[in-house]
Amino acid sequence: MLLWLCFAFLTAAVVAMLLRPLRAGGNGAVAPAEADLAVYRDQLRELEAERERGLIGDSDVEGARAEVARRLIKRANAGPDAGPAAPSDPARARTIYTAVAIALPVLAIGLYVFTGSPQLPARPFAERQSKDIPDANQAAGIVELIQRVEARLREDPQDGKGWNAIAPVYLRLGRFADAAHAFAEANRLEGETVRRLTGFAEATLMAENGIVTEPVRRATLRILELEPSRIEVRVWLALAKEQDG
């Protein structure tokens, strides 16, 4: 309920600010002739300021001043009644103000009722956040799984499938040096593929703080041999050229 009251207050405040000229009923409005003359005078002053700053030449200034002066004289000769008249009926202005102030919130609520989902139950932020962050048991399970794979690889360093399985896990965990080593071993034992070469290049780049080393360059060239349409590896080659000057 408090949220809806806040929405109503904010809507009323915005409507009041937007329709403030109507609420004033036209009091203090500038006449059209005075407004036009003020604009032309401002244009003349702006031309002088630009000439002083050296933005435009004297010939351009004189031409522009002549055109503005022509319009200024034409508007002054047209009389005060030329141009659209400003609204001057306070009662009519207040009627428009009230109608718009009532209609906007009603239309907004109606639109939400028909196109939104007001029937959905509320979900506290803490509950939503807990669904997105793995709990302690899940994190412990991931760590245990990594430890088991690492133990098996220590016993059998030639297990290419083990290196291939753990390499992307290292990469997602931010262990970039370990990921680069695992991808390199997987490429050596299981054969080079675009996915493993790309993983090795990306992990090595991250481990080297964005420096394109020679192993990354060789992996990039090999990727282009296997799949010439890969765009990101061309970016890495361009980055290497930029770093080499």
mmCIF file of all heavy atoms in Angstrom, residues 68-109:
data_model
loop_
_atom_site.group_PDB
_atom_site.id
_atom_site.type_symbol
_atom_site.label_atom_id
_atom_site.label_comp_id
_atom_site.label_asym_id
_atom_site.label_seq_id
_atom_site.Cartn_x
_atom_site.Cartn_y
_atom_site.Cartn_z
ATOM 1 N N VAL A 68 19.059 39.133 -39.807
ATOM 2 C CA VAL A 68 18.357 39.242 -38.531
ATOM 3 C C VAL A 68 17.716 40.609 -38.390
ATOM 4 O O VAL A 68 16.574 40.746 -37.902
ATOM 5 C CB VAL A 68 19.321 38.961 -37.357
ATOM 6 C CG1 VAL A 68 18.628 39.209 -36.024
ATOM 7 C CG2 VAL A 68 19.823 37.523 -37.418
ATOM 8 N N ALA A 69 18.419 41.635 -38.828
ATOM 9 C CA ALA A 69 17.846 42.987 -38.745
ATOM 10 C C ALA A 69 16.604 43.111 -39.627
ATOM 11 O O ALA A 69 15.623 43.768 -39.250
ATOM 12 C CB ALA A 69 18.910 44.001 -39.157
ATOM 13 N N ARG A 70 16.649 42.479 -40.793
ATOM 14 C CA ARG A 70 15.469 42.521 -41.673
ATOM 15 C C ARG A 70 14.261 41.874 -40.995
ATOM 16 O O ARG A 70 13.151 42.400 -41.027
ATOM 17 C CB ARG A 70 15.789 41.805 -42.982
ATOM 18 C CG ARG A 70 14.673 41.867 -44.024
ATOM 19 C CD ARG A 70 15.016 41.037 -45.234
ATOM 20 N NE ARG A 70 15.130 39.628 -44.903
ATOM 21 C CZ ARG A 70 14.055 38.820 -44.756
ATOM 22 N NH1 ARG A 70 12.828 39.318 -44.907
ATOM 23 N NH2 ARG A 70 14.233 37.558 -44.460
ATOM 24 N N ARG A 71 14.494 40.732 -40.380
ATOM 25 C CA ARG A 71 13.397 40.062 -39.679
ATOM 26 C C ARG A 71 12.924 40.882 -38.482
ATOM 27 O O ARG A 71 11.728 40.923 -38.176
ATOM 28 C CB ARG A 71 13.861 38.682 -39.212
ATOM 29 C CG ARG A 71 14.189 37.725 -40.359
ATOM 30 C CD ARG A 71 14.647 36.389 -39.821
ATOM 31 N NE ARG A 71 15.027 35.481 -40.902
ATOM 32 C CZ ARG A 71 15.472 34.254 -40.698
ATOM 33 N NH1 ARG A 71 15.622 33.794 -39.451
ATOM 34 N NH2 ARG A 71 15.801 33.490 -41.733
ATOM 35 N N LEU A 72 13.885 41.521 -37.799
ATOM 36 C CA LEU A 72 13.532 42.331 -36.632
ATOM 37 C C LEU A 72 12.637 43.502 -37.038
ATOM 38 O O LEU A 72 11.613 43.789 -36.389
ATOM 39 C CB LEU A 72 14.813 42.823 -35.966
ATOM 40 C CG LEU A 72 14.665 43.663 -34.694
ATOM 41 C CD1 LEU A 72 14.000 42.861 -33.605
ATOM 42 C CD2 LEU A 72 16.034 44.149 -34.221
ATOM 43 N N ILE A 73 12.987 44.171 -38.141
ATOM 44 C CA ILE A 73 12.173 45.299 -38.613
ATOM 45 C C ILE A 73 10.809 44.826 -39.084
ATOM 46 O O ILE A 73 9.778 45.436 -38.791
ATOM 47 C CB ILE A 73 12.923 46.028 -39.739
ATOM 48 C CG1 ILE A 73 14.210 46.660 -39.193
ATOM 49 C CG2 ILE A 73 12.040 47.093 -40.377
ATOM 50 C CD1 ILE A 73 15.102 47.241 -40.269
ATOM 51 N N LYS A 74 10.799 43.689 -39.783
ATOM 52 C CA LYS A 74 9.520 43.165 -40.282
ATOM 53 C C LYS A 74 8.595 42.803 -39.129
ATOM 54 O O LYS A 74 7.400 43.081 -39.158
ATOM 55 C CB LYS A 74 9.788 41.944 -41.158
ATOM 56 C CG LYS A 74 8.528 41.326 -41.750
ATOM 57 C CD LYS A 74 8.872 40.119 -42.619
ATOM 58 C CE LYS A 74 7.600 39.480 -43.163
ATOM 59 N NZ LYS A 74 7.908 38.286 -44.012
ATOM 60 N N ARG A 75 9.173 42.226 -38.080
ATOM 61 C CA ARG A 75 8.323 41.825 -36.935
ATOM 62 C C ARG A 75 7.848 43.050 -36.170
ATOM 63 O O ARG A 75 6.713 43.097 -35.687
ATOM 64 C CB ARG A 75 9.111 40.908 -35.996
ATOM 65 C CG ARG A 75 8.252 40.286 -34.898
ATOM 66 C CD ARG A 75 7.191 39.406 -35.544
ATOM 67 N NE ARG A 75 6.260 38.869 -34.565
ATOM 68 C CZ ARG A 75 5.146 39.489 -34.170
ATOM 69 N NH1 ARG A 75 4.861 40.693 -34.639
ATOM 70 N NH2 ARG A 75 4.323 38.914 -33.315
ATOM 71 N N ALA A 76 8.709 44.071 -36.055
ATOM 72 C CA ALA A 76 8.311 45.282 -35.343
ATOM 73 C C ALA A 76 7.200 46.012 -36.093
ATOM 74 O O ALA A 76 6.275 46.557 -35.472
ATOM 75 C CB ALA A 76 9.520 46.190 -35.153
ATOM 76 N N ASN A 77 7.252 45.991 -37.437
ATOM 77 C CA ASN A 77 6.224 46.662 -38.230
ATOM 78 C C ASN A 77 4.918 45.889 -38.271
ATOM 79 O O ASN A 77 3.871 46.448 -38.614
ATOM 80 C CB ASN A 77 6.726 46.887 -39.662
ATOM 81 C CG ASN A 77 7.878 47.873 -39.713
ATOM 82 O OD1 ASN A 77 8.014 48.722 -38.835
ATOM 83 N ND2 ASN A 77 8.717 47.757 -40.743
ATOM 84 N N ALA A 78 4.976 44.578 -37.946
ATOM 85 C CA ALA A 78 3.762 43.772 -38.016
ATOM 86 C C ALA A 78 2.773 44.126 -36.923
ATOM 87 O O ALA A 78 1.588 43.831 -37.023
ATOM 88 C CB ALA A 78 4.113 42.289 -37.939
ATOM 89 N N GLY A 79 3.222 44.737 -35.838
ATOM 90 C CA GLY A 79 2.307 45.137 -34.772
ATOM 91 C C GLY A 79 2.213 44.097 -33.686
ATOM 92 O O GLY A 79 2.607 42.941 -33.846
ATOM 93 N N PRO A 80 1.659 44.449 -32.562
ATOM 94 C CA PRO A 80 1.602 43.546 -31.410
ATOM 95 C C PRO A 80 0.600 42.430 -31.568
ATOM 96 O O PRO A 80 0.633 41.471 -30.809
ATOM 97 C CB PRO A 80 1.202 44.473 -30.255
ATOM 98 C CG PRO A 80 0.437 45.578 -30.912
ATOM 99 C CD PRO A 80 1.089 45.794 -32.241
ATOM 100 N N ASP A 81 -0.320 42.517 -32.547
ATOM 101 C CA ASP A 81 -1.360 41.492 -32.645
ATOM 102 C C ASP A 81 -0.950 40.349 -33.555
ATOM 103 O O ASP A 81 -1.702 39.388 -33.710
ATOM 104 C CB ASP A 81 -2.664 42.113 -33.194
ATOM 105 C CG ASP A 81 -3.236 43.150 -32.239
ATOM 106 O OD1 ASP A 81 -2.976 43.008 -31.029
ATOM 107 O OD2 ASP A 81 -3.903 44.092 -32.699
ATOM 108 N N ALA A 82 0.194 40.462 -34.237
ATOM 109 C CA ALA A 82 0.602 39.397 -35.148
ATOM 110 C C ALA A 82 1.056 38.175 -34.357
ATOM 111 O O ALA A 82 1.626 38.289 -33.291
ATOM 112 C CB ALA A 82 1.740 39.879 -36.050
ATOM 113 N N GLY A 83 0.831 37.017 -34.958
ATOM 114 C CA GLY A 83 1.253 35.790 -34.294
ATOM 115 C C GLY A 83 0.141 35.210 -33.461
ATOM 116 O O GLY A 83 -0.899 35.825 -33.225
ATOM 117 N N PRO A 84 0.328 33.970 -32.992
ATOM 118 C CA PRO A 84 -0.688 33.302 -32.194
ATOM 119 C C PRO A 84 -0.888 33.979 -30.853
ATOM 120 O O PRO A 84 0.054 34.442 -30.225
ATOM 121 C CB PRO A 84 -0.121 31.872 -32.016
ATOM 122 C CG PRO A 84 1.356 32.021 -32.189
ATOM 123 C CD PRO A 84 1.545 33.129 -33.164
ATOM 124 N N ALA A 85 -2.098 34.038 -30.452
ATOM 125 C CA ALA A 85 -2.438 34.685 -29.180
ATOM 126 C C ALA A 85 -2.220 33.730 -28.024
ATOM 127 O O ALA A 85 -2.449 32.535 -28.126
ATOM 128 C CB ALA A 85 -3.889 35.151 -29.211
ATOM 129 N N ALA A 86 -1.781 34.259 -26.939
ATOM 130 C CA ALA A 86 -1.559 33.445 -25.748
ATOM 131 C C ALA A 86 -2.887 33.197 -25.042
ATOM 132 O O ALA A 86 -3.767 34.037 -25.044
ATOM 133 C CB ALA A 86 -0.600 34.172 -24.797
ATOM 134 N N PRO A 87 -3.051 32.043 -24.465
ATOM 135 C CA PRO A 87 -4.284 31.759 -23.748
ATOM 136 C C PRO A 87 -4.455 32.692 -22.566
ATOM 137 O O PRO A 87 -3.510 32.953 -21.825
ATOM 138 C CB PRO A 87 -4.089 30.304 -23.290
ATOM 139 C CG PRO A 87 -2.620 30.080 -23.292
ATOM 140 C CD PRO A 87 -2.077 30.944 -24.369
ATOM 141 N N SER A 88 -5.664 33.224 -22.403
ATOM 142 C CA SER A 88 -5.885 34.217 -21.351
ATOM 143 C C SER A 88 -7.112 33.933 -20.509
ATOM 144 O O SER A 88 -7.530 34.785 -19.740
ATOM 145 C CB SER A 88 -6.018 35.609 -21.996
ATOM 146 O OG SER A 88 -7.108 35.621 -22.918
ATOM 147 N N ASP A 89 -7.720 32.769 -20.672
ATOM 148 C CA ASP A 89 -8.924 32.442 -19.907
ATOM 149 C C ASP A 89 -8.511 31.578 -18.720
ATOM 150 O O ASP A 89 -8.239 30.379 -18.885
ATOM 151 C CB ASP A 89 -9.918 31.696 -20.806
ATOM 152 C CG ASP A 89 -11.256 31.487 -20.104
ATOM 153 O OD1 ASP A 89 -11.347 31.811 -18.903
ATOM 154 O OD2 ASP A 89 -12.201 30.995 -20.745
ATOM 155 N N PRO A 90 -8.462 32.131 -17.515
ATOM 156 C CA PRO A 90 -8.014 31.343 -16.359
ATOM 157 C C PRO A 90 -8.920 30.154 -16.069
ATOM 158 O O PRO A 90 -8.434 29.084 -15.693
ATOM 159 C CB PRO A 90 -8.022 32.362 -15.210
ATOM 160 C CG PRO A 90 -7.984 33.698 -15.881
ATOM 161 C CD PRO A 90 -8.714 33.533 -17.162
ATOM 162 N N ALA A 91 -10.240 30.338 -16.219
ATOM 163 C CA ALA A 91 -11.171 29.251 -15.919
ATOM 164 C C ALA A 91 -10.948 28.068 -16.862
ATOM 165 O O ALA A 91 -10.936 26.904 -16.444
ATOM 166 C CB ALA A 91 -12.604 29.753 -16.021
ATOM 167 N N ARG A 92 -10.762 28.372 -18.148
ATOM 168 C CA ARG A 92 -10.526 27.303 -19.123
ATOM 169 C C ARG A 92 -9.202 26.600 -18.846
ATOM 170 O O ARG A 92 -9.098 25.372 -18.946
ATOM 171 C CB ARG A 92 -10.525 27.890 -20.528
ATOM 172 C CG ARG A 92 -10.374 26.866 -21.643
ATOM 173 C CD ARG A 92 -10.622 27.513 -23.009
ATOM 174 N NE ARG A 92 -10.443 26.570 -24.085
ATOM 175 C CZ ARG A 92 -9.296 26.322 -24.705
ATOM 176 N NH1 ARG A 92 -8.210 26.993 -24.330
ATOM 177 N NH2 ARG A 92 -9.217 25.453 -25.688
ATOM 178 N N ALA A 93 -8.191 27.376 -18.485
ATOM 179 C CA ALA A 93 -6.891 26.776 -18.183
ATOM 180 C C ALA A 93 -6.976 25.851 -16.977
ATOM 181 O O ALA A 93 -6.404 24.762 -16.975
ATOM 182 C CB ALA A 93 -5.858 27.875 -17.945
ATOM 183 N N ARG A 94 -7.693 26.289 -15.947
ATOM 184 C CA ARG A 94 -7.835 25.440 -14.757
ATOM 185 C C ARG A 94 -8.615 24.169 -15.085
ATOM 186 O O ARG A 94 -8.338 23.097 -14.530
ATOM 187 C CB ARG A 94 -8.504 26.230 -13.636
ATOM 188 C CG ARG A 94 -7.575 27.203 -12.933
ATOM 189 C CD ARG A 94 -8.205 27.711 -11.641
ATOM 190 N NE ARG A 94 -9.388 28.534 -11.907
ATOM 191 C CZ ARG A 94 -9.347 29.842 -12.085
ATOM 192 N NH1 ARG A 94 -8.189 30.484 -12.053
ATOM 193 N NH2 ARG A 94 -10.451 30.530 -12.303
ATOM 194 N N THR A 95 -9.605 24.285 -15.969
ATOM 195 C CA THR A 95 -10.376 23.098 -16.354
ATOM 196 C C THR A 95 -9.477 22.074 -17.059
ATOM 197 O O THR A 95 -9.532 20.876 -16.776
ATOM 198 C CB THR A 95 -11.540 23.493 -17.270
ATOM 199 O OG1 THR A 95 -12.373 24.418 -16.589
ATOM 200 C CG2 THR A 95 -12.350 22.278 -17.671
ATOM 201 N N ILE A 96 -8.648 22.576 -17.975
ATOM 202 C CA ILE A 96 -7.724 21.675 -18.675
ATOM 203 C C ILE A 96 -6.737 21.044 -17.693
ATOM 204 O O ILE A 96 -6.455 19.835 -17.745
ATOM 205 C CB ILE A 96 -6.976 22.453 -19.774
ATOM 206 C CG1 ILE A 96 -7.963 22.953 -20.830
ATOM 207 C CG2 ILE A 96 -5.905 21.576 -20.416
ATOM 208 C CD1 ILE A 96 -7.322 23.828 -21.882
ATOM 209 N N TYR A 97 -6.237 21.851 -16.784
ATOM 210 C CA TYR A 97 -5.283 21.351 -15.783
ATOM 211 C C TYR A 97 -5.895 20.231 -14.948
ATOM 212 O O TYR A 97 -5.306 19.170 -14.756
ATOM 213 C CB TYR A 97 -4.852 22.505 -14.896
ATOM 214 C CG TYR A 97 -4.024 22.081 -13.700
ATOM 215 C CD1 TYR A 97 -2.678 21.802 -13.829
ATOM 216 C CD2 TYR A 97 -4.608 21.955 -12.444
ATOM 217 C CE1 TYR A 97 -1.924 21.416 -12.749
ATOM 218 C CE2 TYR A 97 -3.858 21.565 -11.348
ATOM 219 C CZ TYR A 97 -2.522 21.294 -11.509
ATOM 220 O OH TYR A 97 -1.786 20.904 -10.433
ATOM 221 N N THR A 98 -7.104 20.459 -14.477
ATOM 222 C CA THR A 98 -7.763 19.458 -13.628
ATOM 223 C C THR A 98 -8.048 18.186 -14.407
ATOM 224 O O THR A 98 -7.843 17.067 -13.903
ATOM 225 C CB THR A 98 -9.070 20.034 -13.066
ATOM 226 O OG1 THR A 98 -8.789 21.257 -12.370
ATOM 227 C CG2 THR A 98 -9.722 19.049 -12.118
ATOM 228 N N ALA A 99 -8.527 18.335 -15.662
ATOM 229 C CA ALA A 99 -8.861 17.156 -16.461
ATOM 230 C C ALA A 99 -7.626 16.302 -16.736
ATOM 231 O O ALA A 99 -7.659 15.073 -16.599
ATOM 232 C CB ALA A 99 -9.510 17.589 -17.769
ATOM 233 N N VAL A 100 -6.528 16.956 -17.091
ATOM 234 C CA VAL A 100 -5.309 16.209 -17.386
ATOM 235 C C VAL A 100 -4.750 15.565 -16.118
ATOM 236 O O VAL A 100 -4.286 14.424 -16.137
ATOM 237 C CB VAL A 100 -4.265 17.135 -18.040
ATOM 238 C CG1 VAL A 100 -2.937 16.415 -18.212
ATOM 239 C CG2 VAL A 100 -4.771 17.622 -19.388
ATOM 240 N N ALA A 101 -4.797 16.302 -15.016
ATOM 241 C CA ALA A 101 -4.276 15.765 -13.755
ATOM 242 C C ALA A 101 -5.036 14.519 -13.320
ATOM 243 O O ALA A 101 -4.465 13.614 -12.710
ATOM 244 C CB ALA A 101 -4.348 16.835 -12.673
ATOM 245 N N ILE A 102 -6.325 14.461 -13.619
ATOM 246 C CA ILE A 102 -7.128 13.286 -13.249
ATOM 247 C C ILE A 102 -6.960 12.176 -14.273
ATOM 248 O O ILE A 102 -6.875 10.989 -13.926
ATOM 249 C CB ILE A 102 -8.612 13.678 -13.110
ATOM 250 C CG1 ILE A 102 -8.777 14.656 -11.937
ATOM 251 C CG2 ILE A 102 -9.486 12.452 -12.908
ATOM 252 C CD1 ILE A 102 -10.180 15.205 -11.808
ATOM 253 N N ALA A 103 -6.908 12.551 -15.550
ATOM 254 C CA ALA A 103 -6.901 11.542 -16.606
ATOM 255 C C ALA A 103 -5.601 10.750 -16.650
ATOM 256 O O ALA A 103 -5.612 9.539 -16.877
ATOM 257 C CB ALA A 103 -7.152 12.211 -17.956
ATOM 258 N N LEU A 104 -4.448 11.401 -16.426
ATOM 259 C CA LEU A 104 -3.176 10.703 -16.540
ATOM 260 C C LEU A 104 -3.039 9.531 -15.565
ATOM 261 O O LEU A 104 -2.715 8.412 -15.987
ATOM 262 C CB LEU A 104 -2.022 11.694 -16.357
ATOM 263 C CG LEU A 104 -1.673 12.557 -17.574
ATOM 264 C CD1 LEU A 104 -0.519 13.489 -17.244
ATOM 265 C CD2 LEU A 104 -1.317 11.703 -18.770
ATOM 266 N N PRO A 105 -3.262 9.719 -14.255
ATOM 267 C CA PRO A 105 -3.153 8.561 -13.356
ATOM 268 C C PRO A 105 -4.172 7.469 -13.670
ATOM 269 O O PRO A 105 -3.853 6.279 -13.581
ATOM 270 C CB PRO A 105 -3.394 9.177 -11.965
ATOM 271 C CG PRO A 105 -3.106 10.622 -12.118
ATOM 272 C CD PRO A 105 -3.516 10.968 -13.510
ATOM 273 N N VAL A 106 -5.422 7.877 -14.037
ATOM 274 C CA VAL A 106 -6.452 6.876 -14.341
ATOM 275 C C VAL A 106 -6.047 6.044 -15.552
ATOM 276 O O VAL A 106 -6.157 4.813 -15.556
ATOM 277 C CB VAL A 106 -7.810 7.573 -14.573
ATOM 278 C CG1 VAL A 106 -8.835 6.573 -15.089
ATOM 279 C CG2 VAL A 106 -8.305 8.206 -13.284
ATOM 280 N N LEU A 107 -5.562 6.707 -16.603
ATOM 281 C CA LEU A 107 -5.126 5.978 -17.792
ATOM 282 C C LEU A 107 -3.932 5.075 -17.487
ATOM 283 O O LEU A 107 -3.852 3.944 -17.981
ATOM 284 C CB LEU A 107 -4.763 6.970 -18.897
ATOM 285 C CG LEU A 107 -5.936 7.718 -19.546
ATOM 286 C CD1 LEU A 107 -5.413 8.746 -20.541
ATOM 287 C CD2 LEU A 107 -6.888 6.752 -20.233
ATOM 288 N N ALA A 108 -2.989 5.564 -16.661
ATOM 289 C CA ALA A 108 -1.815 4.757 -16.326
ATOM 290 C C ALA A 108 -2.209 3.500 -15.557
ATOM 291 O O ALA A 108 -1.741 2.391 -15.852
ATOM 292 C CB ALA A 108 -0.827 5.590 -15.518
ATOM 293 N N ILE A 109 -3.103 3.661 -14.581
ATOM 294 C CA ILE A 109 -3.538 2.498 -13.796
ATOM 295 C C ILE A 109 -4.310 1.527 -14.678
ATOM 296 O O ILE A 109 -4.146 0.301 -14.599
ATOM 297 C CB ILE A 109 -4.383 2.967 -12.595
ATOM 298 C CG1 ILE A 109 -3.499 3.754 -11.617
ATOM 299 C CG2 ILE A 109 -5.011 1.772 -11.887
ATOM 300 C CD1 ILE A 109 -4.270 4.376 -10.478
#
